[in-house]
Amino acid sequence: MTAVAPPMSTKSLLTDVTTVRLRPRYEGSNICTWIGFKHVNYLVEEAVLVHFADSGAPARRLYEAHGLGLDIVALETRILHALHLDDVAEAEVVPDTEDDDRTLGFRVTLRVERDGSVLKAVAAKVRVSLRADTYLPELDEPPAEFAPFVVDRLGAEARTGELAPIRVRMPDGDEAAVLASLTAGRNAYAWKWNIPYPYCHFTERLQMSGYLRLLEEAKDRFVLDRGISIKTLLDDRKWIPVVPQSSVRVLDEAVMEEDLYTVYTVEEIFKDLTYTARMDCFVVRDGALTLTATGRITHGYAVIDNRSDWRLVPFDRRVLDALGGEQSGT
């Protein structure tokens, strides 16, 4: 006999604090045993999913019973201490939703043990929308208390003021003309990409983890284009990129097999130690380029001292010229 699940409620979701122990995935250890920013963000996402499950509203039940897709629509993360392979992080999820919010908010902290002390390693802010599914027939209505957080389209709460999606008229001509229009007058790199299904969820739309993968790829493409690829600096001087901060905000939906134009723009270099870049993602709608997501990432460089230690280093002239120079192509 199958037990009947209790009715869903937002009470625990909006008030209870969840603590869970998580281990970063093996895939995230790309250089020595340090975990990259993308997989750090995956831990933040996982902690939020556990919070939903422990609060009686797991992602599977939300979708299967009520046709609601749990979508992270904003993610802002600060990395204070590097995570390593085989670390076990304690993740604390604290609800952070005001009475008039249209998205569910959470503050997530990851802590790790180092030499007998517990350090605050990661601090993140997360916003979640419940996207009403239109791909399959409707199911039971969710409890009324979930209604303020249900949207018919992602980004609905951000379509006013400075966060409204940008629409840019498509230039006449081929793909090269579109890319040139997106990078003209900017210290930027852009490329066109067809959204594959492994980057999507709930049958059709690009999910937050997909944008994180794009943000990582954008950096990789940019430095390769400027002659300071990841492997080049590793081989030349054992330098690796480090990320103290990243953010992504979804402003509209991008759908499986749509063409996505991604632009990576260097905005500012701080004291030869870090630089901030912006990622903007566009799809073509009604003959215009429509912004679906925007993000920012702060990068620095560290030199590998040994298999377990690294230290930050200032940019040299070669790197400064590459970061601030003219684009060599798209």
Side-chain angles (χ1 to χ4, degrees):
M1 183 176 180
T2 303
V4 177
M8 286 197 306
S9 168
T10 59
K11 182 179 179 181
S12 294
L13 198 63
L14 297 176
T15 59
D16 289 357
V17 175
T18 298
T19 301
V20 60
R21 293 172 69 81
L22 300 171
R23 186 188 296 269
R25 302 301 300 168
Y26 196 63
E27 178 192 314
S29 179
N30 305 123
I31 298 173
C32 294
T33 63
W34 302 294
I35 300 299
F37 89 96
K38 180 182 67 182
H39 277 262
V40 171
N41 278 297
Y42 286 178
L43 290 178
V44 173
E45 178 185 65
E46 182 67 20
V48 171
L49 292 173
V50 169
H51 178 75
F52 270 82
D54 287 357
S55 299
R60 177 181 175 181
R61 185 179 175 195
L62 283 167
Y63 183 75
E64 291 184 353
H66 302 293
L68 297 178
L70 193 164
D71 273 273
I72 294 178
V73 293
L75 177 57
E76 180 181 340
T77 305
R78 290 186 299 118
I79 301 175
L80 309 174
H81 294 278
L83 294 180
H84 289 251
L85 184 66
D86 292 333
D87 268 340
V88 177
E90 181 182 83
E92 179 186 68
V93 181
V94 178
D96 187 22
T97 305
E98 301 294 334
D99 291 341
D100 57 350
D101 283 349
R102 296 302 309 276
T103 56
L104 292 152
F106 305 95
R107 287 179 285 112
V108 180
T109 302
L110 303 183
R111 297 181 175 88
V112 293
E113 185 175 338
R114 292 282 184 270
D115 301 322
S117 299
V118 176
L119 302 178
K120 180 179 179 180
V122 178
K125 297 178 182 178
V126 184
R127 306 300 303 189
V128 172
S129 283
L130 302 178
R131 189 353 183 122
D133 184 54
T134 54
Y135 197 82
L136 295 170
E138 291 186 16
L139 296 175
D140 296 339
E141 287 288 331
E145 57 198 279
F146 284 84
F149 313 109
V150 176
V151 296
D152 293 328
R153 190 174 184 85
L154 297 184
E157 81 290 343
R159 289 186 192 138
T160 59
E162 63 178 355
L163 292 176
I166 297 171
R167 290 178 60 78
V168 181
R169 185 181 65 82
M170 281 284 287
D172 296 329
D174 57 13
E175 175 185 323
V178 178
L179 294 172
S181 72
L182 289 170
T183 57
R186 302 164 70 179
N187 182 13
Y189 178 92
W191 81 100
K192 180 180 130 179
W193 174 73
N194 190 260
I195 302 171
Y197 89 90
Y199 282 64
C200 302
H201 70 173
F202 297 117
T203 315
E204 54 184 350
R205 62 187 173 274
L206 183 60
Q207 60 176 304
M208 176 59 75
S209 65
Y211 283 117
L212 290 170
R213 290 159 78 175
L214 281 170
L215 187 56
E216 183 176 58
E217 182 177 354
K219 153 75 175 188
D220 189 62
R221 284 174 172 264
F222 177 84
V223 294
L224 175 64
D225 182 70
R226 297 300 175 89
I228 54 167
S229 73
I230 305 298
K231 191 172 191 305
T232 295
L233 293 191
L234 275 169
D235 290 348
D236 286 356
R237 61 192 74 175
K238 292 186 174 60
W239 281 19
I240 60 171
V242 293
V243 178
Q245 191 161 349
S246 66
S247 65
V248 176
R249 179 74 182 268
V250 176
L251 300 176
D252 204 339
E253 295 186 3
V255 179
M256 187 188 304
E257 296 187 3
E258 280 192 301
D259 287 334
L260 192 80
Y261 291 85
T262 301
V263 188
Y264 182 88
T265 306
V266 171
E267 293 190 313
E268 193 168 2
I269 299 173
F270 300 94
K271 298 182 179 179
D272 300 347
L273 286 172
T274 61
Y275 73 95
T276 300
R278 189 176 79 248
M279 178 186 75
D280 296 309
C281 297
F282 299 85
V283 296
V284 180
R285 301 265 164 77
D286 300 323
L289 289 166
T290 299
L291 185 67
T292 63
T294 187
R296 279 184 169 80
I297 189 165
T298 301
H299 267 104
Y301 280 100
V303 63
I304 299 173
D305 285 330
N306 51 58
R307 290 186 174 86
S308 59
D309 297 305
W310 53 260
R311 54 189 165 82
L312 291 174
V313 291
F315 304 149
D316 62 9
R317 178 46 54 188
R318 178 186 179 188
V319 171
L320 285 169
D321 287 347
L323 296 177
E326 296 296 325
Q327 66 189 75
S328 61
T330 59

Tab-separated table of all heavy atoms in Angstrom, residues 66-111:
chain	number	residue	atom	x	y	z
A	66	HIS	N	1.710	18.699	-9.882
A	66	HIS	CA	1.116	20.023	-10.089
A	66	HIS	C	1.631	20.745	-11.328
A	66	HIS	O	1.244	21.895	-11.569
A	66	HIS	CB	1.360	20.897	-8.853
A	66	HIS	CG	0.807	20.300	-7.597
A	66	HIS	ND1	-0.548	20.149	-7.367
A	66	HIS	CD2	1.426	19.792	-6.492
A	66	HIS	CE1	-0.741	19.590	-6.178
A	66	HIS	NE2	0.442	19.366	-5.633
A	67	GLY	N	2.492	20.107	-12.107
A	67	GLY	CA	2.970	20.730	-13.331
A	67	GLY	C	3.793	21.981	-13.105
A	67	GLY	O	3.751	22.920	-13.903
A	68	LEU	N	4.570	22.017	-12.017
A	68	LEU	CA	5.404	23.180	-11.704
A	68	LEU	C	6.880	22.798	-11.814
A	68	LEU	O	7.345	21.881	-11.132
A	68	LEU	CB	5.117	23.705	-10.298
A	68	LEU	CG	3.702	24.225	-10.042
A	68	LEU	CD1	3.560	24.671	-8.585
A	68	LEU	CD2	3.362	25.379	-10.975
A	69	GLY	N	7.603	23.503	-12.663
A	69	GLY	CA	9.032	23.290	-12.782
A	69	GLY	C	9.785	24.196	-11.827
A	69	GLY	O	9.584	25.413	-11.828
A	70	LEU	N	10.651	23.609	-11.012
A	70	LEU	CA	11.459	24.388	-10.065
A	70	LEU	C	12.647	24.949	-10.844
A	70	LEU	O	13.535	24.207	-11.251
A	70	LEU	CB	11.913	23.490	-8.917
A	70	LEU	CG	12.515	24.152	-7.674
A	70	LEU	CD1	12.525	23.167	-6.506
A	70	LEU	CD2	13.933	24.654	-7.906
A	71	ASP	N	12.650	26.260	-11.058
A	71	ASP	CA	13.696	26.911	-11.843
A	71	ASP	C	14.444	27.933	-11.006
A	71	ASP	O	13.837	28.869	-10.472
A	71	ASP	CB	13.082	27.625	-13.048
A	71	ASP	CG	12.926	26.707	-14.246
A	71	ASP	OD1	13.892	26.582	-15.017
A	71	ASP	OD2	11.842	26.111	-14.405
A	72	ILE	N	15.753	27.756	-10.901
A	72	ILE	CA	16.583	28.806	-10.310
A	72	ILE	C	16.735	29.907	-11.355
A	72	ILE	O	17.228	29.671	-12.452
A	72	ILE	CB	17.945	28.256	-9.887
A	72	ILE	CG1	17.770	27.254	-8.742
A	72	ILE	CG2	18.886	29.384	-9.457
A	72	ILE	CD1	19.055	26.610	-8.279
A	73	VAL	N	16.291	31.112	-11.012
A	73	VAL	CA	16.310	32.218	-11.971
A	73	VAL	C	17.338	33.290	-11.613
A	73	VAL	O	17.575	34.196	-12.414
A	73	VAL	CB	14.910	32.850	-12.117
A	73	VAL	CG1	13.952	31.872	-12.776
A	73	VAL	CG2	14.371	33.327	-10.767
A	74	ALA	N	17.935	33.202	-10.441
A	74	ALA	CA	19.017	34.125	-10.072
A	74	ALA	C	19.936	33.414	-9.092
A	74	ALA	O	19.470	32.746	-8.161
A	74	ALA	CB	18.474	35.412	-9.455
A	75	LEU	N	21.237	33.572	-9.318
A	75	LEU	CA	22.228	32.908	-8.486
A	75	LEU	C	23.450	33.797	-8.388
A	75	LEU	O	24.082	34.120	-9.391
A	75	LEU	CB	22.599	31.550	-9.105
A	75	LEU	CG	23.681	30.713	-8.431
A	75	LEU	CD1	23.322	30.420	-6.983
A	75	LEU	CD2	23.888	29.412	-9.200
A	76	GLU	N	23.750	34.234	-7.173
A	76	GLU	CA	24.908	35.096	-6.926
A	76	GLU	C	25.772	34.450	-5.856
A	76	GLU	O	25.291	34.187	-4.741
A	76	GLU	CB	24.456	36.482	-6.476
A	76	GLU	CG	25.584	37.455	-6.205
A	76	GLU	CD	25.079	38.813	-5.744
A	76	GLU	OE1	23.906	39.126	-5.978
A	76	GLU	OE2	25.883	39.548	-5.138
A	77	THR	N	27.039	34.197	-6.179
A	77	THR	CA	27.885	33.391	-5.311
A	77	THR	C	29.245	34.036	-5.085
A	77	THR	O	29.884	34.500	-6.031
A	77	THR	CB	28.090	31.988	-5.932
A	77	THR	OG1	26.820	31.392	-6.188
A	77	THR	CG2	28.890	31.093	-5.003
A	78	ARG	N	29.673	34.069	-3.820
A	78	ARG	CA	31.024	34.502	-3.453
A	78	ARG	C	31.782	33.300	-2.898
A	78	ARG	O	31.295	32.617	-1.999
A	78	ARG	CB	30.985	35.623	-2.411
A	78	ARG	CG	30.466	36.952	-2.937
A	78	ARG	CD	30.583	38.044	-1.892
A	78	ARG	NE	29.797	37.751	-0.692
A	78	ARG	CZ	30.300	37.584	0.511
A	78	ARG	NH1	31.607	37.680	0.724
A	78	ARG	NH2	29.508	37.333	1.534
A	79	ILE	N	32.967	33.050	-3.437
A	79	ILE	CA	33.809	31.951	-2.975
A	79	ILE	C	34.920	32.541	-2.119
A	79	ILE	O	35.787	33.266	-2.611
A	79	ILE	CB	34.377	31.159	-4.161
A	79	ILE	CG1	33.244	30.600	-5.024
A	79	ILE	CG2	35.279	30.025	-3.662
A	79	ILE	CD1	33.705	29.903	-6.288
A	80	LEU	N	34.892	32.235	-0.838
A	80	LEU	CA	35.829	32.814	0.127
A	80	LEU	C	37.038	31.919	0.357
A	80	LEU	O	38.130	32.412	0.657
A	80	LEU	CB	35.103	33.064	1.450
A	80	LEU	CG	33.791	33.852	1.339
A	80	LEU	CD1	33.081	33.905	2.675
A	80	LEU	CD2	34.055	35.250	0.813
A	81	HIS	N	36.834	30.614	0.252
A	81	HIS	CA	37.915	29.644	0.383
A	81	HIS	C	37.682	28.541	-0.645
A	81	HIS	O	36.547	28.107	-0.852
A	81	HIS	CB	37.962	29.035	1.788
A	81	HIS	CG	38.308	30.013	2.870
A	81	HIS	ND1	39.605	30.382	3.159
A	81	HIS	CD2	37.517	30.711	3.727
A	81	HIS	CE1	39.597	31.269	4.147
A	81	HIS	NE2	38.349	31.484	4.513
A	82	ALA	N	38.754	28.087	-1.273
A	82	ALA	CA	38.635	27.064	-2.315
A	82	ALA	C	38.150	25.741	-1.729
A	82	ALA	O	38.539	25.352	-0.620
A	82	ALA	CB	39.975	26.867	-3.011
A	83	LEU	N	37.301	25.068	-2.498
A	83	LEU	CA	36.902	23.703	-2.163
A	83	LEU	C	37.816	22.734	-2.909
A	83	LEU	O	38.266	23.016	-4.022
A	83	LEU	CB	35.454	23.448	-2.556
A	83	LEU	CG	34.382	24.239	-1.803
A	83	LEU	CD1	32.999	23.873	-2.306
A	83	LEU	CD2	34.480	23.992	-0.304
A	84	HIS	N	38.074	21.593	-2.270
A	84	HIS	CA	38.955	20.583	-2.844
A	84	HIS	C	38.183	19.289	-3.085
A	84	HIS	O	37.129	19.044	-2.498
A	84	HIS	CB	40.127	20.284	-1.893
A	84	HIS	CG	41.129	21.386	-1.782
A	84	HIS	ND1	42.401	21.302	-2.323
A	84	HIS	CD2	41.065	22.604	-1.195
A	84	HIS	CE1	43.070	22.413	-2.068
A	84	HIS	NE2	42.280	23.214	-1.379
A	85	LEU	N	38.748	18.474	-3.960
A	85	LEU	CA	38.251	17.126	-4.152
A	85	LEU	C	38.180	16.405	-2.800
A	85	LEU	O	39.091	16.536	-1.980
A	85	LEU	CB	39.196	16.378	-5.092
A	85	LEU	CG	38.806	14.969	-5.504
A	85	LEU	CD1	37.552	15.003	-6.362
A	85	LEU	CD2	39.965	14.328	-6.267
A	86	ASP	N	37.089	15.697	-2.564
A	86	ASP	CA	36.833	14.916	-1.345
A	86	ASP	C	36.488	15.769	-0.128
A	86	ASP	O	36.312	15.226	0.980
A	86	ASP	CB	38.012	13.990	-0.990
A	86	ASP	CG	38.183	12.871	-2.005
A	86	ASP	OD1	37.175	12.492	-2.627
A	86	ASP	OD2	39.313	12.384	-2.186
A	87	ASP	N	36.398	17.089	-0.284
A	87	ASP	CA	35.844	17.898	0.799
A	87	ASP	C	34.394	17.496	1.051
A	87	ASP	O	33.649	17.163	0.112
A	87	ASP	CB	35.856	19.388	0.428
A	87	ASP	CG	37.110	20.103	0.883
A	87	ASP	OD1	37.789	19.594	1.795
A	87	ASP	OD2	37.413	21.167	0.309
A	88	VAL	N	33.989	17.551	2.294
A	88	VAL	CA	32.576	17.418	2.632
A	88	VAL	C	32.131	18.759	3.194
A	88	VAL	O	32.596	19.185	4.255
A	88	VAL	CB	32.333	16.296	3.658
A	88	VAL	CG1	30.855	16.237	4.029
A	88	VAL	CG2	32.788	14.948	3.095
A	89	ALA	N	31.282	19.432	2.457
A	89	ALA	CA	30.836	20.762	2.853
A	89	ALA	C	29.513	20.676	3.604
A	89	ALA	O	28.630	19.895	3.233
A	89	ALA	CB	30.667	21.649	1.620
A	90	GLU	N	29.395	21.467	4.657
A	90	GLU	CA	28.115	21.605	5.344
A	90	GLU	C	27.386	22.796	4.729
A	90	GLU	O	27.870	23.926	4.778
A	90	GLU	CB	28.319	21.825	6.838
A	90	GLU	CG	26.995	21.942	7.590
A	90	GLU	CD	27.188	22.205	9.064
A	90	GLU	OE1	27.375	23.385	9.425
A	90	GLU	OE2	27.172	21.241	9.850
A	91	ALA	N	26.236	22.526	4.138
A	91	ALA	CA	25.457	23.569	3.472
A	91	ALA	C	24.272	23.961	4.342
A	91	ALA	O	23.501	23.105	4.779
A	91	ALA	CB	24.969	23.087	2.113
A	92	GLU	N	24.142	25.245	4.590
A	92	GLU	CA	23.019	25.782	5.367
A	92	GLU	C	22.165	26.649	4.445
A	92	GLU	O	22.670	27.559	3.792
A	92	GLU	CB	23.527	26.613	6.535
A	92	GLU	CG	22.411	27.222	7.384
A	92	GLU	CD	22.958	28.156	8.452
A	92	GLU	OE1	23.488	29.226	8.075
A	92	GLU	OE2	22.866	27.813	9.641
A	93	VAL	N	20.879	26.352	4.389
A	93	VAL	CA	19.939	27.099	3.553
A	93	VAL	C	18.980	27.858	4.456
A	93	VAL	O	18.253	27.254	5.257
A	93	VAL	CB	19.157	26.166	2.611
A	93	VAL	CG1	18.200	26.975	1.729
A	93	VAL	CG2	20.107	25.350	1.759
A	94	VAL	N	18.975	29.189	4.321
A	94	VAL	CA	18.123	30.050	5.135
A	94	VAL	C	17.111	30.736	4.210
A	94	VAL	O	17.506	31.432	3.271
A	94	VAL	CB	18.948	31.113	5.883
A	94	VAL	CG1	18.029	32.030	6.693
A	94	VAL	CG2	19.987	30.450	6.776
A	95	PRO	N	15.806	30.551	4.435
A	95	PRO	CA	14.811	31.238	3.606
A	95	PRO	C	14.966	32.747	3.693
A	95	PRO	O	15.283	33.295	4.754
A	95	PRO	CB	13.477	30.781	4.208
A	95	PRO	CG	13.791	29.481	4.892
A	95	PRO	CD	15.187	29.646	5.420
A	96	ASP	N	14.744	33.424	2.565
A	96	ASP	CA	14.916	34.882	2.495
A	96	ASP	C	13.880	35.453	1.515
A	96	ASP	O	14.231	36.028	0.489
A	96	ASP	CB	16.336	35.217	2.051
A	96	ASP	CG	16.643	36.710	2.131
A	96	ASP	OD1	15.954	37.418	2.890
A	96	ASP	OD2	17.560	37.165	1.415
A	97	THR	N	12.610	35.277	1.845
A	97	THR	CA	11.513	35.709	0.980
A	97	THR	C	10.650	36.719	1.718
A	97	THR	O	10.158	36.437	2.818
A	97	THR	CB	10.646	34.514	0.553
A	97	THR	OG1	11.478	33.524	-0.070
A	97	THR	CG2	9.556	34.944	-0.430
A	98	GLU	N	10.485	37.898	1.115
A	98	GLU	CA	9.626	38.925	1.696
A	98	GLU	C	8.172	38.711	1.276
A	98	GLU	O	7.879	37.977	0.330
A	98	GLU	CB	10.091	40.320	1.238
A	98	GLU	CG	11.529	40.656	1.610
A	98	GLU	CD	11.730	40.770	3.107
A	98	GLU	OE1	10.745	41.078	3.816
A	98	GLU	OE2	12.863	40.547	3.576
A	99	ASP	N	7.256	39.377	1.986
A	99	ASP	CA	5.833	39.158	1.758
A	99	ASP	C	5.390	39.475	0.331
A	99	ASP	O	4.491	38.829	-0.207
A	99	ASP	CB	5.001	40.003	2.738
A	99	ASP	CG	5.122	39.506	4.170
A	99	ASP	OD1	5.537	38.342	4.351
A	99	ASP	OD2	4.823	40.278	5.096
A	100	ASP	N	6.019	40.465	-0.297
A	100	ASP	CA	5.585	40.865	-1.633
A	100	ASP	C	6.491	40.318	-2.744
A	100	ASP	O	6.376	40.717	-3.900
A	100	ASP	CB	5.520	42.389	-1.745
A	100	ASP	CG	6.850	43.058	-1.419
A	100	ASP	OD1	7.748	42.360	-0.922
A	100	ASP	OD2	6.972	44.278	-1.652
A	101	ASP	N	7.385	39.378	-2.426
A	101	ASP	CA	8.262	38.795	-3.437
A	101	ASP	C	7.491	37.887	-4.380
A	101	ASP	O	6.564	37.173	-3.954
A	101	ASP	CB	9.393	37.988	-2.780
A	101	ASP	CG	10.488	38.871	-2.215
A	101	ASP	OD1	10.485	40.084	-2.515
A	101	ASP	OD2	11.336	38.351	-1.470
A	102	ARG	N	7.893	37.871	-5.647
A	102	ARG	CA	7.298	36.979	-6.631
A	102	ARG	C	8.190	35.766	-6.914
A	102	ARG	O	7.825	34.913	-7.715
A	102	ARG	CB	7.033	37.735	-7.939
A	102	ARG	CG	6.019	38.860	-7.815
A	102	ARG	CD	4.662	38.348	-7.304
A	102	ARG	NE	4.184	37.209	-8.084
A	102	ARG	CZ	3.520	37.307	-9.237
A	102	ARG	NH1	3.274	38.496	-9.754
A	102	ARG	NH2	3.116	36.227	-9.878
A	103	THR	N	9.361	35.737	-6.303
A	103	THR	CA	10.229	34.574	-6.376
A	103	THR	C	10.592	34.142	-4.961
A	103	THR	O	10.586	34.954	-4.027
A	103	THR	CB	11.525	34.867	-7.169
A	103	THR	OG1	12.196	35.987	-6.568
A	103	THR	CG2	11.217	35.181	-8.628
A	104	LEU	N	10.914	32.880	-4.808
A	104	LEU	CA	11.346	32.345	-3.517
A	104	LEU	C	12.833	32.606	-3.348
A	104	LEU	O	13.639	32.272	-4.227
A	104	LEU	CB	11.074	30.839	-3.462
A	104	LEU	CG	9.593	30.437	-3.445
A	104	LEU	CD1	9.396	29.067	-4.070
A	104	LEU	CD2	9.068	30.450	-2.016
A	105	GLY	N	13.203	33.218	-2.225
A	105	GLY	CA	14.594	33.582	-2.000
A	105	GLY	C	15.242	32.749	-0.903
A	105	GLY	O	14.587	32.376	0.082
A	106	PHE	N	16.542	32.489	-1.066
A	106	PHE	CA	17.296	31.720	-0.081
A	106	PHE	C	18.726	32.243	0.002
A	106	PHE	O	19.288	32.707	-0.990
A	106	PHE	CB	17.340	30.231	-0.459
A	106	PHE	CG	15.987	29.623	-0.673
A	106	PHE	CD1	15.446	29.549	-1.945
A	106	PHE	CD2	15.238	29.165	0.398
A	106	PHE	CE1	14.182	29.022	-2.158
A	106	PHE	CE2	13.977	28.636	0.201
A	106	PHE	CZ	13.441	28.557	-1.079
A	107	ARG	N	19.286	32.180	1.195
A	107	ARG	CA	20.702	32.437	1.403
A	107	ARG	C	21.373	31.109	1.748
A	107	ARG	O	20.909	30.395	2.647
A	107	ARG	CB	20.905	33.463	2.520
A	107	ARG	CG	20.535	34.885	2.105
A	107	ARG	CD	20.723	35.893	3.220
A	107	ARG	NE	19.659	35.799	4.227
A	107	ARG	CZ	19.822	35.385	5.456
A	107	ARG	NH1	21.043	35.028	5.878
A	107	ARG	NH2	18.813	35.332	6.305
A	108	VAL	N	22.418	30.796	1.030
A	108	VAL	CA	23.086	29.499	1.191
A	108	VAL	C	24.537	29.740	1.621
A	108	VAL	O	25.249	30.535	1.004
A	108	VAL	CB	23.054	28.679	-0.115
A	108	VAL	CG1	23.753	27.336	0.083
A	108	VAL	CG2	21.610	28.471	-0.574
A	109	THR	N	24.955	29.038	2.669
A	109	THR	CA	26.333	29.113	3.149
A	109	THR	C	26.939	27.722	3.128
A	109	THR	O	26.317	26.757	3.605
A	109	THR	CB	26.387	29.671	4.582
A	109	THR	OG1	25.774	30.965	4.622
A	109	THR	CG2	27.823	29.787	5.066
A	110	LEU	N	28.132	27.598	2.547
A	110	LEU	CA	28.876	26.342	2.578
A	110	LEU	C	30.062	26.499	3.512
A	110	LEU	O	30.819	27.469	3.398
A	110	LEU	CB	29.375	25.953	1.184
A	110	LEU	CG	28.346	25.808	0.065
A	110	LEU	CD1	29.037	25.355	-1.215
A	110	LEU	CD2	27.251	24.830	0.443
A	111	ARG	N	30.213	25.558	4.426
A	111	ARG	CA	31.333	25.580	5.367
A	111	ARG	C	32.159	24.312	5.212
A	111	ARG	O	31.614	23.229	4.959
A	111	ARG	CB	30.824	25.709	6.804
A	111	ARG	CG	30.066	27.012	7.065
A	111	ARG	CD	29.599	27.110	8.514
A	111	ARG	NE	28.967	28.403	8.801
A	111	ARG	CZ	27.676	28.654	8.623
A	111	ARG	NH1	26.867	27.676	8.195
A	111	ARG	NH2	27.177	29.843	8.898
